[in-house]
Amino acid sequence: MLHGLWSPGAGLLLWRDGNQATLPDPYARVVESRRFRHRVDVPVRTTTGVRSEQAPALALAPGAAADLLLTPSPTHGLAGDLRYLRHAVRGVDRWVAAGRIVPDVYRAEGQWWTRWRLVGGERQRAWAAELAAAMPAVQRSQGAPSAVLDDLVTELADPIARRRLVDRGAPDRSTHPLVGSLLAQTPLDEGSHAVVRTLERWRSSLTVDEPELVLRLLEPLDEDQSDETDTAAFWRLEVCLRPEGEAPQPVPLRGADPDRLRLGVRKLGEAMAAYPRLREVPTDPQSLDLLLPTAVVVDLVGHGALALRASGVNLLLPRAWSVVAPSLRLRVSSSPAVTVEGSTVGMNELVSYDWQLALGDMVLTDLEMQRLARSKSDLVRLRGHWVQADHTVLARAARYVAEHDAGAETSLGSLLAELTSAHPPPVAVDEITATGWARSLLDPAAEPVEVPLPAGLYADLRPYQQRGLDWLATMSRLGLGAVLADDMGLGKTLQVLALLAHEVPDPVDDTVDAVESMDSSTTHGSRPAPTLLVAPMSVVGNWQREAQRFTPDLRVHVHHGATRLSGDAFAEQVARTDLVVTTYSLVARDVGLLREQAWDRIVLDEAQHIKNAATAQSRAARSIPARHRLALTGTPVENRLEELRSILDFANPRMLGSAQAFRARFAIPIEREHDETAAARLRTATAPFLLRRVKTDPAVIADLPEKFEMTVRANLTAEQASLYQAVVDEMMRQISEAEGMSRKGAVLAALTRLKQVCNHPAHFLRDGSSVLRRGQHRSGKLNLVDDVLDSVLADGEKALLFTQFREFGDLVAPYLAERFGVSVPFLHGGVSKTRRDGMVTGFAEPDGPPIMLLSLKAGGTGLNLTAANHVVHLDRWWNPAVENQATDRAFRIGQRRDVQVRKLVCVGTVEERIDAMLTGKQELADLAVGTGENWVTELSTDELRDLLRLGDDAVGE
């Protein structure tokens, strides 16, 4: 007789006993063609018991074993142990034929390999259990039945699956490396631990044929239980099984189906292994249910639920369950109105206030706060409902409220400073209500007093612009600094001009002007003192044009140029003026002259110019005295929160404390640690002084067309690729020999050079060479620009092209002018005011130039260029806020066509890799900020090499 057993690590072992029966094929051929080189221990029965004898045996690898055992043949001459293995292998074949296999990746012999394995499931486990129970004694000698069967199934499922794939006609091996490895039994070069984890997650998500375990938490049934005794309650954790498509069903101990009970016990054991604390609680004698004390329930919801979910166990909480965070509410009382004629409130006006502690929508009474402060549990009954909240946080918040007497008085500045102090409220302040004059400032639900449309304003205001005027007038009346942070293109200029027209209600004739010019007092008769407006040079002309268009009765003077007024002449001109417009550079230069004048208001346009509080122009702007301060910006935060502090510090000095204190209390917790509490506290403190609307909100503006943004990729030319690789090699050599600031400087310099290479070889080389060579483009990016502009001009439309490099603009502008036979103005920092104004007005004309080139810094803010409905970013600034400012030159009020925005990057370069990262930086204005390009300098050498490397697909055909 021919015997067989499965030996883990050796495969199928065959041996013969003394009975030389005739064997059927293919067993006879195998026995006759192979040598019995192995030895196997065989149990032999004797009159005195069972002894072990060694017999010669031959071994078959898994593939050969599967072929032999699956070949149909008679069973004469085959011993029972061999027939058992034939039965087991045919079972594996049936699972494979049913499609119950999945791919697996494993590590062996220093390489990654692939194989097929059975997917598992309850029915498969039941089949394996039956095989284990019927296992012959000789097979049991190889180890525990379950372990031997696991090895047999694992080793044979793979060759059986491959055998069936060959029979069916396997797919093309080249379709995917994993498929090729599975079919050809070759190593998987792309194998990794990440691939293994991905396959494990996928396999665990597959639906198997057994019910899933559901743990359902039920609150205590004692309806008479009082809030004071909540911690003594026991919660029932009901153990249920849920077949696919059915409702969860409890598992009783008596009268249940034995298989279902075994399954429930096994799965509950797996849940206890995932969350061991379930082993420590009492059980219900009538079911598998567990009885949980309140402390365990709190830990289950806070920590155990995650562990159970990770192991595939669903946890259902009671419907009445609510998880809430404690919060504070502030009630502020102030006098009905400013009592003294002409006075303003300011930050020093007294208010009374009252703190309240809330859990969700429930404002707690003093007795409830005292009880919760004493509680040692995070789960409590409150007004008949179960509520979960951190009891330590609750206790701190309750003490904070108790320490502040109801109705206490303090100044408005002190009250707001408390929110930003070193010891702020311990939980978020989610609601502020106020009465009197403070309501229009502090209560988000309050609308400012509506201002009639000024008689001197020759424009219709949109609803959100009217609200902006109302808000600005309120802040001005209260004498509180403000930041109007509307999105680019929403008309901040018009709203400020409307405010000035509101304050100068009745136009005066030249005679009255002449009389008033003799009086340099701050009131000028019926008119207030003038407003000083500081703006970038690029938008000074825009303020002149807008004022002339919308408020022609306002007297405007531009303080700029080599012939600008000084001394008494300037003072006399200011006395005859409503609005003086100057630039940031002149504020720093003429600060002494400007400080001598009496200003009613100072306005900073594009206030991000003072985001660095240490610069001369920032210090100068802060030092000029004025009754009211107003900052205008479309991007209150570009890169760092310190920029927001700097702008608000101009509007309301010292409101957010020193730069060092702000960094410790807000910038570091929010930017690095993503501290939501600190972010909420900062929003609460700054919201009264900052009005921000975005143009994408339909409630703000419904008639603005769509904006379509797309990243367009260009291949490098061979010349660009060679230069790019040379820059990377040189940089890697330099940083290997440098450290500290020297290393950072080398990295930033290399980034700039790489962007220049991506633009054009002549831009990088600066050798004055031509744009084309033998009629062919040297730059894949400029070739792409040609195609884009061909389409734009063919449709009779206009385009704005932005670059951060003036030298690249100097290269591109003449080329495009010659290529398309049109004028291509280039607006950059070196263009005079007169020429800038001419470029802007000329481009707006229907027969004006169809293409305009702008440097990102000089042309990225303040301009109105809605004649264009195409925007092309030739190179990336790597700051979404700055790029969006530039885009908004075309995407703003007055635009009637959809705007297409193309951001050009080169394939396989640092441009493409950082472009992918920028998609996660859009949270910037919501207080999750980045750090510009400086983060690149902090990368390790290996990370830098991977970021900057030239991809295989970089060069086009």
Side-chain angles (χ1 to χ4, degrees), residues 608-671:
Q608 62 271 19
H609 281 73
I610 64 161
K611 63 185 180 182
N612 184 347
T615 62
Q617 62 189 31
S618 294
R619 295 196 303 270
R622 286 176 171 78
S623 69
I624 297 174
R627 180 192 64 83
H628 186 225
R629 292 171 174 264
L630 176 59
L632 311 178
T633 176
T635 52
V637 180
E638 282 187 350
N639 283 313
R640 299 176 298 111
L641 278 180
E642 166 58 25
E643 298 165 5
L644 175 65
R645 189 210 72 86
S646 181
I647 294 173
L648 279 166
D649 189 62
F650 159 78
N652 292 294
R654 299 174 296 281
M655 188 186 85
L656 293 177
S658 67
Q660 183 178 6
F662 180 85
R663 178 173 174 78
R665 296 168 192 171
F666 295 105
I668 292 177
I670 295 172
E671 293 176 1

Side-chain angles (χ1 to χ4, degrees), residues 36 138 142 391 720 758 829:
F36 287 68
V138 66
Q142 299 301 304
H391 73 280
Q720 285 178 294
C758 290

Side-chain angles (χ1 to χ4, degrees), residues 429-496:
V429 181
D430 68 352
E431 182 178 298
I432 298 178
T433 57
T435 61
W437 63 261
R439 183 171 186 271
S440 59
L441 174 70
L442 299 176
D443 193 338
E447 289 292 329
V449 177
E450 186 171 350
V451 172
L453 191 68
L457 181 68
Y458 294 84
D460 292 327
L461 298 180
R462 295 169 181 266
Y464 76 89
Q465 292 173 329
Q466 177 64 54
R467 188 186 184 282
L469 170 60
D470 300 340
W471 183 76
L472 290 174
T474 297
M475 299 300 284
S476 177
R477 176 171 52 84
L478 297 178
L480 297 172
V483 179
L484 182 59
D486 283 348
D487 218 348
M488 293 293 178
L490 290 184
K492 294 187 290 294
T493 301
L494 177 58
Q495 293 174 70
V496 173

Side-chain angles (χ1 to χ4, degrees), residues 215 217 237 275 277-278 292 294-308 315 317 388:
L215 300 179
L217 186 63
L237 188 62
Y275 180 52
R277 199 162 183 186
L278 294 180
L292 277 56
T294 302
V296 177
V297 172
V298 174
D299 189 72
L300 169 67
V301 176
H303 304 95
L306 297 177
L308 292 172
L315 177 64
L317 298 179
Q388 181 190 358

Side-chain angles (χ1 to χ4, degrees), residues 62 67 90 178 190 230 322 470 541 546 561 576 578 581 626 655 717 765 814 944:
D67 290 339
R90 285 190 170 93
L178 182 63
E190 291 79 4
D230 48 30
S322 60
D470 300 340
E546 299 286 271
R576 296 192 298 268
D578 300 309
V581 183
M655 188 186 85
T717 62
L765 296 171
L944 270 173

Side-chain angles (χ1 to χ4, degrees), residues 136-413:
V138 66
Q139 185 64 70
R140 291 175 181 269
S141 66
Q142 299 301 304
S146 59
V148 173
L149 279 173
D150 283 345
D151 185 77
L152 180 145
V153 170
T154 299
E155 294 294 335
L156 294 184
D158 182 64
I160 291 173
R162 298 179 194 274
R163 189 170 184 256
R164 283 195 168 271
L165 286 172
V166 170
D167 292 343
R168 293 184 178 184
D172 184 0
R173 298 177 184 178
S174 65
T175 56
H176 191 278
L178 182 63
V179 175
S181 176
L182 284 167
L183 295 175
Q185 293 182 277
T186 55
L188 180 64
D189 294 336
E190 291 79 4
S192 65
H193 291 289
V195 174
V196 172
R197 290 192 295 270
T198 299
L199 284 175
E200 288 176 349
R201 287 195 297 269
W202 172 65
R203 286 194 298 266
S204 65
S205 69
L206 298 177
T207 302
V208 293
D209 52 8
E210 64 182 21
E212 63 176 339
L213 177 66
V214 175
L215 300 179
R216 183 161 50 196
L217 186 63
L218 305 177
E219 63 182 69
L221 297 178
D222 185 3
E223 298 293 342
D224 298 327
Q225 184 183 30
S226 69
D227 291 353
E228 295 291 342
T229 59
D230 48 30
T231 56
F234 277 96
W235 298 64
R236 178 178 292 270
L237 188 62
E238 193 174 44
V239 179
C240 304
L241 293 176
R242 177 167 58 191
E244 185 176 359
E246 300 181 21
Q249 298 295 328
V251 183
L253 287 178
R254 296 180 178 83
D257 176 71
D259 291 336
R260 184 177 180 83
L261 181 59
R262 281 196 299 271
L263 178 63
V265 171
R266 178 176 63 79
K267 284 186 171 288
L268 180 59
E270 294 171 355
M272 289 179 170
Y275 180 52
R277 199 162 183 186
L278 294 180
R279 296 171 178 165
E280 306 168 0
V281 300
T283 58
D284 177 32
Q286 303 300 320
S287 65
L288 295 180
D289 298 350
L290 306 175
L291 304 177
L292 277 56
T294 302
V296 177
V297 172
V298 174
D299 189 72
L300 169 67
V301 176
H303 304 95
L306 297 177
L308 292 172
R309 189 179 302 116
S311 64
V313 178
N314 286 315
L315 177 64
L316 302 181
L317 298 179
R319 289 184 179 181
W321 184 282
S322 60
V323 180
V324 296
S327 63
L328 288 171
R329 298 181 180 184
L330 180 61
R331 304 289 181 261
V332 180
S333 300
S334 61
S335 58
V338 180
T339 55
V340 180
E341 182 79 22
S343 69
T344 56
V345 172
M347 300 292 276
N348 294 323
E349 186 73 8
L350 292 179
V351 295
S352 59
Y353 67 95
D354 179 21
W355 287 103
Q356 296 177 333
L357 177 59
L359 272 181
D361 295 330
M362 293 181 287
V363 177
L364 303 182
T365 65
D366 291 341
L367 291 177
E368 287 170 334
M369 282 192 290
Q370 293 173 14
R371 182 173 69 85
L372 295 179
R374 295 193 305 267
S375 175
K376 302 301 181 183
S377 173
D378 289 352
L379 191 63
V380 295
R381 279 175 67 96
L382 186 63
R383 303 179 190 176
H385 299 282
W386 288 95
V387 176
Q388 181 190 358
D390 189 324
H391 73 280
T392 57
V393 175
L394 266 175
R396 286 200 302 270
R399 286 195 297 270
Y400 183 86
V401 172
E403 291 167 359
H404 292 76
D405 297 333
E409 279 197 338
T410 188
S411 69
L412 173 63

Side-chain angles (χ1 to χ4, degrees), residues 42-54:
V42 179
V44 178
R45 291 186 178 275
T46 65
T47 56
T48 58
V50 179
R51 72 172 188 273
S52 178
E53 292 184 356
Q54 283 197 338

